[in-house]
mmCIF file with all atom_site columns, all heavy atoms in Angstrom:
data_model
loop_
_atom_site.group_PDB
_atom_site.id
_atom_site.type_symbol
_atom_site.label_atom_id
_atom_site.label_alt_id
_atom_site.label_comp_id
_atom_site.label_asym_id
_atom_site.label_entity_id
_atom_site.label_seq_id
_atom_site.pdbx_PDB_ins_code
_atom_site.Cartn_x
_atom_site.Cartn_y
_atom_site.Cartn_z
_atom_site.occupancy
_atom_site.B_iso_or_equiv
_atom_site.pdbx_formal_charge
_atom_site.auth_seq_id
_atom_site.auth_comp_id
_atom_site.auth_asym_id
_atom_site.auth_atom_id
_atom_site.pdbx_PDB_model_num
ATOM 1  N N   . PRO M 1 96  ? 15.856 203.950 19.025 1.00 0.00 ? 96  PRO M N   1
ATOM 2  C CA  . PRO M 1 96  ? 14.447 204.340 19.026 1.00 0.00 ? 96  PRO M CA  1
ATOM 3  C C   . PRO M 1 96  ? 13.537 203.126 18.848 1.00 0.00 ? 96  PRO M C   1
ATOM 4  O O   . PRO M 1 96  ? 13.998 202.106 18.332 1.00 0.00 ? 96  PRO M O   1
ATOM 5  C CB  . PRO M 1 96  ? 14.340 205.274 17.817 1.00 0.00 ? 96  PRO M CB  1
ATOM 6  C CG  . PRO M 1 96  ? 15.738 205.709 17.519 1.00 0.00 ? 96  PRO M CG  1
ATOM 7  C CD  . PRO M 1 96  ? 16.616 204.585 17.955 1.00 0.00 ? 96  PRO M CD  1
ATOM 8  N N   . PRO M 1 97  ? 12.279 203.165 19.261 1.00 0.00 ? 97  PRO M N   1
ATOM 9  C CA  . PRO M 1 97  ? 11.556 204.370 19.690 1.00 0.00 ? 97  PRO M CA  1
ATOM 10 C C   . PRO M 1 97  ? 11.849 204.760 21.135 1.00 0.00 ? 97  PRO M C   1
ATOM 11 O O   . PRO M 1 97  ? 12.220 203.916 21.941 1.00 0.00 ? 97  PRO M O   1
ATOM 12 C CB  . PRO M 1 97  ? 10.091 203.955 19.542 1.00 0.00 ? 97  PRO M CB  1
ATOM 13 C CG  . PRO M 1 97  ? 10.115 202.480 19.807 1.00 0.00 ? 97  PRO M CG  1
ATOM 14 C CD  . PRO M 1 97  ? 11.407 201.987 19.211 1.00 0.00 ? 97  PRO M CD  1
ATOM 15 N N   . PHE M 1 98  ? 11.668 206.036 21.418 1.00 0.00 ? 98  PHE M N   1
ATOM 16 C CA  . PHE M 1 98  ? 11.884 206.536 22.763 1.00 0.00 ? 98  PHE M CA  1
ATOM 17 C C   . PHE M 1 98  ? 10.524 206.579 23.473 1.00 0.00 ? 98  PHE M C   1
ATOM 18 O O   . PHE M 1 98  ? 9.589  207.207 23.004 1.00 0.00 ? 98  PHE M O   1
ATOM 19 C CB  . PHE M 1 98  ? 12.539 207.912 22.712 1.00 0.00 ? 98  PHE M CB  1
ATOM 20 C CG  . PHE M 1 98  ? 13.847 207.893 21.962 1.00 0.00 ? 98  PHE M CG  1
ATOM 21 C CD1 . PHE M 1 98  ? 13.989 208.586 20.779 1.00 0.00 ? 98  PHE M CD1 1
ATOM 22 C CD2 . PHE M 1 98  ? 14.925 207.152 22.427 1.00 0.00 ? 98  PHE M CD2 1
ATOM 23 C CE1 . PHE M 1 98  ? 15.189 208.555 20.075 1.00 0.00 ? 98  PHE M CE1 1
ATOM 24 C CE2 . PHE M 1 98  ? 16.122 207.113 21.739 1.00 0.00 ? 98  PHE M CE2 1
ATOM 25 C CZ  . PHE M 1 98  ? 16.257 207.815 20.551 1.00 0.00 ? 98  PHE M CZ  1
ATOM 26 N N   . ILE M 1 99  ? 10.468 205.887 24.581 1.00 0.00 ? 99  ILE M N   1
ATOM 27 C CA  . ILE M 1 99  ? 9.204  205.587 25.225 1.00 0.00 ? 99  ILE M CA  1
ATOM 28 C C   . ILE M 1 99  ? 9.002  206.435 26.474 1.00 0.00 ? 99  ILE M C   1
ATOM 29 O O   . ILE M 1 99  ? 9.925  206.578 27.285 1.00 0.00 ? 99  ILE M O   1
ATOM 30 C CB  . ILE M 1 99  ? 9.142  204.096 25.611 1.00 0.00 ? 99  ILE M CB  1
ATOM 31 C CG1 . ILE M 1 99  ? 9.401  203.214 24.394 1.00 0.00 ? 99  ILE M CG1 1
ATOM 32 C CG2 . ILE M 1 99  ? 7.809  203.757 26.255 1.00 0.00 ? 99  ILE M CG2 1
ATOM 33 C CD1 . ILE M 1 99  ? 8.370  203.375 23.293 1.00 0.00 ? 99  ILE M CD1 1
ATOM 34 N N   . PHE M 1 100 ? 7.778  206.939 26.635 1.00 0.00 ? 100 PHE M N   1
ATOM 35 C CA  . PHE M 1 100 ? 7.383  207.633 27.851 1.00 0.00 ? 100 PHE M CA  1
ATOM 36 C C   . PHE M 1 100 ? 6.442  206.746 28.665 1.00 0.00 ? 100 PHE M C   1
ATOM 37 O O   . PHE M 1 100 ? 5.697  205.928 28.106 1.00 0.00 ? 100 PHE M O   1
ATOM 38 C CB  . PHE M 1 100 ? 6.627  208.921 27.519 1.00 0.00 ? 100 PHE M CB  1
ATOM 39 C CG  . PHE M 1 100 ? 7.479  210.016 26.949 1.00 0.00 ? 100 PHE M CG  1
ATOM 40 C CD1 . PHE M 1 100 ? 7.626  210.150 25.576 1.00 0.00 ? 100 PHE M CD1 1
ATOM 41 C CD2 . PHE M 1 100 ? 8.104  210.925 27.775 1.00 0.00 ? 100 PHE M CD2 1
ATOM 42 C CE1 . PHE M 1 100 ? 8.387  211.166 25.038 1.00 0.00 ? 100 PHE M CE1 1
ATOM 43 C CE2 . PHE M 1 100 ? 8.871  211.955 27.252 1.00 0.00 ? 100 PHE M CE2 1
ATOM 44 C CZ  . PHE M 1 100 ? 9.013  212.065 25.880 1.00 0.00 ? 100 PHE M CZ  1
ATOM 45 N N   . GLY M 1 101 ? 6.451  206.970 29.970 1.00 0.00 ? 101 GLY M N   1
ATOM 46 C CA  . GLY M 1 101 ? 5.398  206.410 30.796 1.00 0.00 ? 101 GLY M CA  1
ATOM 47 C C   . GLY M 1 101 ? 4.136  207.232 30.629 1.00 0.00 ? 101 GLY M C   1
ATOM 48 O O   . GLY M 1 101 ? 4.161  208.314 30.032 1.00 0.00 ? 101 GLY M O   1
ATOM 49 N N   . PRO M 1 102 ? 3.016  206.752 31.169 1.00 0.00 ? 102 PRO M N   1
ATOM 50 C CA  . PRO M 1 102 ? 1.735  207.441 30.993 1.00 0.00 ? 102 PRO M CA  1
ATOM 51 C C   . PRO M 1 102 ? 1.591  208.704 31.827 1.00 0.00 ? 102 PRO M C   1
ATOM 52 O O   . PRO M 1 102 ? 0.662  209.484 31.601 1.00 0.00 ? 102 PRO M O   1
ATOM 53 C CB  . PRO M 1 102 ? 0.707  206.393 31.419 1.00 0.00 ? 102 PRO M CB  1
ATOM 54 C CG  . PRO M 1 102 ? 1.456  205.533 32.388 1.00 0.00 ? 102 PRO M CG  1
ATOM 55 C CD  . PRO M 1 102 ? 2.862  205.481 31.890 1.00 0.00 ? 102 PRO M CD  1
#
Side-chain angles (χ1 to χ4, degrees):
Chain M
F98 302 115
I99 305 298
F100 289 92

